[in-house]
Every structure is written in structure tokens, then in C-alpha cells.
Amino acid sequence: MHIKSIIVDDQNIAIKRIENLLKGYETIDIVGSFSNAIEAINYINYLKPDVVFLDIKIQEISGFDIIEKISPDIVKPLFVFITKHNEFAYKAFDYFAFDYIIKPYEDSRFYQTIDKITEYKRKEGLVNLQSSLNNILSIVQNKETIENKKINIKSGNKIFFLNLDVIKYISASGYYIEIFTKDNKRHLLRESLSSIIKRLNSNRFIRIHRSTIINSDFIEEIITSNYGETDVKIIDIKPTFRVSKGYKKEFQELMGVK
């Protein structure tokens, strides 16, 4: 098991300390260290690390800005904040931070975090999970009968197939996506929306927002306002779903409305 890591801090001495602490772990590879936040964002999107160690304030950009600017097309890494700013701890966990270490910190505190990351990766089987699933599915999946009808869901050590007909909508939730079905069940997957919509491979599923995919079979109403906003009402779901500007044109074309 190899865990790819990136370090982001505008203080070289802080970067060097993390690099030295990680030298004792053969399972963790440092694929990049950056003092420039913009450069770090580009390389996170390119290298797709498993974990990112970052400060709260990095020049003119915050660590939260970095998280928000990461491409939605990749599976987000685990984020470990290492900072002197303890006042942002609650906000960090709103961003699904894996851990929050306050500077100055003891080596033992850092090692605790690394041990938790290693155990988390081992239990979840996240390393090479998608390639393993694809290999399994290439054997057990008959594409002529399953394609456009079912999608595979991994639960523990099992893989089951979920009928597309029962999926109402899918939303992003931190590192995961949540699949909601018409029988009020919720399935949690560590995958991006961009990845899942490709696997769905069906025109009935429409992305209407950076964080939302809907099944058009369950649309009850499309509501437009005088301000040009568009909302979608899903059957038996009380809150409506906003169609963002970036997806509005494609949504209208697919639904045949203006």
C-alpha cells in the first residue's frame, strides 16, 4: 500500500519538518511540496494525491480556498490542516478535514495522525479500489443485459447492483456522493459526481448543479422565476433543486424546455 501525499505551506521550515517526519513511513510517498497555493491546486488536480497536508493561510489564499478550487472530477484527498490558527478548527471540519493539528506540535501528535490515515486507508481499501472493482466487474458483468439498467455499489466486502430505475437523485457530500432511491434508502460511495454520471450511462440522469444529479423520470415540476432562476421539484421530495447557470442550457435542451 502506497499513499500519495502533498504538502502545502508558505513556510519552507514547516514543509521540511513534515518531510522529515514522513521519512519514517515507507507507505507514504511525498509527490509534491508547495509554498505557492495556485501551483499546489494545479498539482493536486494533476497528481490526485490521497492526502494533503496544508496550512490555513498560504499567502493570499486560504486552505479552504484550495479545497474549493480542486476539480470536482477527481476524488478529493484527505485534508490534514497543520496551522497555528486554532480558531478555524470548527470550520475545517465543515470542509470534512481529516485532522487538525495546532502548531507548535509534538512529533508524537503528527505520528498519531499518520497512523490514523494508514489505518483508514487499509480498512476502506481506497488504494486502487476503482481499478479492482473494474477488474471484478469485467468478469461478473454482462454488459448487454446490465448496461443502462444497473449500477454497482460496494458495501463492505460485497458488491451489489442497484437498479437505475429506483434512483431519484445523487448529491455530493464531502469526499463522498449520496445516492437516494425512491424507497427512501441512501447509499454512500467514495466517488465524484463526474465519475458516477459516466457509469450511469443514461440520458435520464442530468447534472443540474456542481453537487447534484437528478433522474428526470422523477421530475414533478420545473419552476422558473422572473429573475431567470430555474428550480426542479422531485416527486415526494419537499425542497426543490436549483439548476445552476453552468448546467441550465444543457438541462433545458435535454428536457425540451426554455
Side-chain angles (χ1 to χ4, degrees):
M1 178 177 69
H2 284 277
I3 301 170
K4 296 190 298 182
S5 69
I6 278 180
I7 305 167
V8 189
D9 198 305
D10 58 4
Q11 300 294 322
N12 286 329
I13 190 170
I15 291 176
K16 288 297 181 183
R17 185 181 182 198
I18 296 173
E19 289 177 340
N20 288 333
L21 290 172
L22 288 176
K23 285 181 180 178
Y25 288 85
E26 295 182 355
T27 57
I28 299 184
D29 300 324
I30 302 172
V31 296
S33 298
F34 305 94
S35 58
N36 181 285
I38 300 300
E39 186 178 11
I41 293 166
N42 292 333
Y43 273 89
I44 290 171
N45 289 333
Y46 175 69
L47 296 172
K48 302 178 180 64
D50 300 298
V51 58
V52 176
F53 302 95
L54 73 167
D55 200 348
I56 287 290
K57 294 184 178 180
I58 304 156
Q59 298 170 337
E60 72 284 357
I61 291 181
S62 75
F64 304 122
D65 293 328
I66 290 176
I67 294 176
E68 290 179 350
K69 292 178 184 296
I70 290 176
S71 171
D73 295 333
I74 71 169
V75 175
K76 285 188 177 180
L78 304 177
F79 292 100
V80 175
F81 285 97
I82 303 178
T83 180
K84 64 181 180 181
H85 300 282
N86 58 7
E87 67 270 24
F88 295 104
Y90 286 112
K91 183 176 180 180
F93 289 107
D94 285 340
Y95 280 77
F96 298 91
F98 187 82
D99 206 347
Y100 197 93
I101 301 175
I102 303 296
K103 298 177 181 177
Y105 57 91
E106 299 290 336
D107 292 356
S108 59
R109 175 66 179 87
F110 184 84
Y111 292 146
Q112 287 174 6
T113 298
I114 300 305
D115 290 342
K116 286 196 298 183
I117 290 171
T118 304
E119 184 64 17
Y120 177 85
K121 289 290 186 180
R122 184 180 294 112
K123 284 184 176 180
E124 295 296 320
L126 297 178
V127 179
N128 295 325
L129 173 60
Q130 191 58 54
S131 62
S132 297
L133 282 174
N134 289 339
N135 289 336
I136 295 171
L137 292 173
S138 66
I139 298 172
V140 303
Q141 187 173 0
N142 182 338
K143 291 186 177 180
E144 292 182 356
T145 59
I146 295 180
E147 186 174 11
N148 292 332
K149 294 181 180 180
K150 294 184 178 182
I151 187 170
N152 61 71
I153 303 288
K154 186 176 186 298
S155 178
N157 62 349
K158 296 180 180 180
I159 296 174
F160 68 94
F161 295 93
L162 183 66
N163 285 321
L164 300 188
D165 293 342
V166 305
I167 299 174
K168 279 190 172 182
Y169 68 96
I170 305 171
S171 65
S173 178
Y175 301 115
Y176 297 85
I177 60 172
E178 296 177 302
I179 299 177
F180 295 86
T181 62
K182 67 180 182 180
D183 55 358
N184 297 320
K185 290 184 178 179
R186 180 179 70 109
H187 303 278
L188 201 62
L189 277 176
R190 197 179 199 284
E191 189 169 351
S192 68
L193 285 182
S194 298
S195 173
I196 195 71
I197 200 167
K198 290 177 182 177
R199 293 208 293 129
L200 290 169
N201 193 24
S202 172
N203 289 333
R204 81 180 80 174
F205 291 95
I206 307 172
R207 190 164 185 176
I208 62 169
H209 192 276
R210 183 178 179 181
S211 61
T212 311
I213 295 170
I214 62 169
N215 184 345
S216 59
D217 290 348
F218 290 93
I219 292 178
E220 185 175 14
E221 293 178 335
I222 298 174
I223 307 160
T224 58
S225 73
N226 294 331
Y227 303 101
E229 296 174 339
T230 301
D231 292 303
V232 176
K233 176 71 172 64
I234 300 295
I235 295 172
D236 295 330
I237 302 294
K238 286 187 177 181
T240 58
F241 296 85
R242 175 62 49 86
V243 181
S244 67
K245 292 181 180 179
Y247 295 97
K248 184 176 178 180
K249 183 178 179 182
E250 181 181 3
F251 172 75
Q252 289 177 332
E253 289 176 352
L254 289 171
M255 295 303 298
V257 296
K258 292 185 179 180

